[in-house]
Each structure stands twice: as C-alpha cells, then as structure tokens.
C-alpha cells in the first residue's frame, strides 16, 4: 500500500499587525502544530499579508516560522513580491514571479505566483507555465504533482470573487491535461472552503483564515467575520486527493 501524504492547507491570513488577527492566525498554526507528527507539509496559498508592508511580512514570517512542519508559501494579490521574497522566501527583493518548487515525501509541489502587481485578478505568465512544465517533466511521470497558486482559475458562484479570478486559464488547463500525474490544484483568494474540478482534476479552495466571504444567498455584504478560521487537510493516497475541512474556533 502506498504511503498517504497529509497536506495542511491554509490561505488568506491577511496579517495586519492587529492583535486579534494575529491570535486568530496563531490558533491555526497551533492547530497544525498539535498534529504535526501526522502532517507532511503546510501549504499557504497567498494573501499572507493584508497590505504587503515590510512590518506585516516580518510578522507573517515570525508566525509561520513557528510551524513545526515544512512550510511552502506563495503570494496573493494583497502581498508584494519584493517584501514577500525577502521576508518569507529568504530571497532577494524582486518584481519577478515568485515561483518555487519543493519535493516533500516524494510529492512535487509547484508553488506558482499567479499575482499581477497592482491588480487583484490573477494570471500565470507564459514563463511561469513553461517553468511548471519543465518541473513536471523533470520529476517524471511516477511523481505525484500538486499545483498551488492563489487565484482560482474558475468561477465559484461568488460575483465579487468571480470578477477577480485567474484569467488565461485555458493555458493552465492544457498543461494539466498533458500530465496525468498532476493530482490536483490548491488555491485560496475566495475565502471559502470549496471543491470543484479544473482540467478534470480536483481544484480545492482553502477556507479563509482571516474571514469568510459570503455566497449571494447568505445575506447583505461580502465579508462574514463571524465564521471561524478554517483549514483544509488533504490526504494524498497515491494519485488520489481526499480533502477534509476543519474549523479552528
Ligand atoms: Fe484574501
Ligand atoms: Fe486574494
């Protein structure tokens, strides 16, 4: 029997410097740490800071630095590449897409930067897609690949979010379709635990840590701050992704 990989997936922390926000995020990291022996990796799919300031990035690095499992991060539209690179990737300040790959317990994670500086919608550049393809090919067809980015490449029945989703998604769908070992895609941005398909594979949106966004029938306004923070736990059994959601009250 193949070994089951466990991925803790969180998103949209939106570190502001505010103490209440910090304690909400820390409770999520504590929830992961208390179960660290059973978790292979923590994936954080963007909007880690609220405004991308150096102070927010420093605080985010401190909070995520307390995670007791390998932690993989990508920026969202609220982050800024230069500050994010320095604080959260120990890299140089750069305006280029912050694409990274990591292999953990035999699984390849492609952490893809879908942000467009100065805009809220998303896009994977041709260079990013080319990098993804070369990474998948280099890993080989027997390696499960988990593709991670911030912006959902589909509509979700959420009018506000659907207007700032990832565009140019046909190119990404073609890439995934060429590689059967891509087990699925993980993203954030929509602040709602949700599951659908993309390119015939699972696409999972992590619940928001900072707040939840409403569906059209859930009342006035967009943000629901009364919902607890959430985590997605993905089990990867061979090439099959199984997702469980948890709230952190
Ligand atoms: Fe967000
Ligand atoms: Fe976002």
């Amino acid at each position: 029997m193949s070994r089951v990989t466990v991925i803790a997936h969180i998103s949209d922390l939106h570190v502001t410097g505010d103490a209440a926000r910090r304690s909400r995020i820390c409770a999520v990291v504590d929830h992961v740490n208390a179960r660290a022996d059973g978790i292979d990796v923590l994936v954080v799919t963007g909007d880690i800071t609220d405004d991308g300031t150096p102070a927010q990035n420093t605080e985010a690095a401190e909070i995520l630095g307390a995670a007791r499992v390998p932690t993989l991060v990508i920026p969202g539209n609220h982050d800024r590449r230069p500050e994010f690179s320095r604080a959260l990737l120990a890299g140089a300040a750069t305006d280029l897409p912050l694409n990274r790959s990591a292999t953990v317990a035999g699984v390849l994670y492609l952490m893809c930067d879908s942000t467009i500086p100065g805009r809220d919608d998303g896009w994977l550049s041709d260079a990013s897609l080319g990098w993804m393809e070369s990474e998948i090919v280099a890993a080989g067809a027997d390696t499960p690949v988990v593709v991670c980015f911030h912006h959902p490449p589909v509509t979700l029945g959420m009018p506000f979010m659907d207007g700032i989703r990832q565009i140019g998604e046909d190119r990404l769908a073609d890439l995934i379709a060429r590689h059967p070992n891509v087990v699925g895609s993980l993203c954030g941005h929509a602040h709602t635990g949700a599951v659908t398909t993309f390119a015939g594979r699972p696409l999972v949106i992590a619940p928001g840590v900072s707040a939840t966004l409403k569906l059209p029938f859930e009342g006035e306004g967009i943000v629901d701050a009364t919902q607890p923070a959430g985590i997605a736990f993905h089990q990867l059994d061979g090439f099959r992704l199984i997702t469980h959601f948890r709230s952190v009250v």
Side-chain angles (χ1 to χ4, degrees):
M1 195 179 125
S2 61
R3 181 181 175 281
V4 174
T5 289
V6 175
I7 306 162
H9 174 199
I10 63 175
S11 200
D12 296 87
L13 284 54
H14 289 267
V15 169
T16 56
D18 172 71
R21 177 66 53 82
R22 182 188 177 101
S23 70
R24 188 172 164 113
I25 301 166
C26 288
V28 171
V29 175
D30 289 347
H31 190 94
V32 170
N33 282 344
R35 294 150 183 84
D37 290 347
I39 298 170
D40 291 283
V41 64
L42 172 64
V43 166
V44 189
T45 49
D47 281 359
I48 294 176
T49 68
D50 202 43
D51 300 305
T53 63
Q56 289 176 3
N57 276 284
T58 298
E59 182 177 350
E62 185 190 326
I63 294 170
L64 291 175
R68 288 183 48 223
V69 294
T71 302
L72 306 176
V73 298
I74 35 175
N77 52 303
H78 282 256
D79 300 304
R80 293 187 211 147
R81 285 175 181 164
E83 291 83 354
F84 188 99
S85 178
R86 264 199 299 254
L88 289 160
L89 295 172
T94 177
D95 290 317
L96 296 173
L98 298 173
N99 300 316
R100 297 286 188 280
S101 68
T103 301
V104 183
V107 177
L108 175 64
Y109 297 85
L110 295 182
M111 308 303 296
C112 311
D113 186 346
S114 64
T115 66
I116 309 169
R119 284 172 55 166
D120 285 327
D121 57 347
W123 161 268
L124 289 171
S125 70
D126 289 342
S128 292
L129 290 162
W131 167 81
M132 292 167 69
E133 182 122 49
S134 66
E135 290 280 332
I136 295 169
V137 169
D142 293 335
T143 301
V145 180
V146 178
V147 176
C148 308
F149 40 76
H150 181 64
H151 297 80
V154 293
T155 59
L156 297 170
M158 305 171 78
F160 170 70
M161 268 297 144
D162 292 346
I164 53 172
R165 70 181 181 90
Q166 182 185 151
I167 56 174
E169 71 278 11
D170 289 351
R171 298 142 57 245
L172 174 62
D174 289 346
L175 168 67
I176 291 174
R178 284 195 292 276
H179 299 285
N181 52 322
V182 174
V183 300
S185 301
L186 310 182
C187 62
H189 190 49
H191 293 234
T192 181
V195 181
T196 182
T197 55
F198 178 71
R201 317 286 161 81
L203 172 76
V204 185
I205 298 94
V209 168
S210 62
T212 299
L213 298 188
K214 294 178 185 174
L215 296 168
F217 53 87
E218 290 185 303
E220 291 295 310
I222 295 174
V223 178
D224 181 353
T226 68
Q227 294 282 317
I231 301 179
F233 286 125
H234 309 287
Q235 294 172 313
L236 185 56
D237 187 358
F239 289 85
R240 189 170 68 93
L241 196 69
I242 310 149
T243 298
H244 306 258
F245 293 104
R246 293 290 182 270
S247 298
V248 180
V249 180

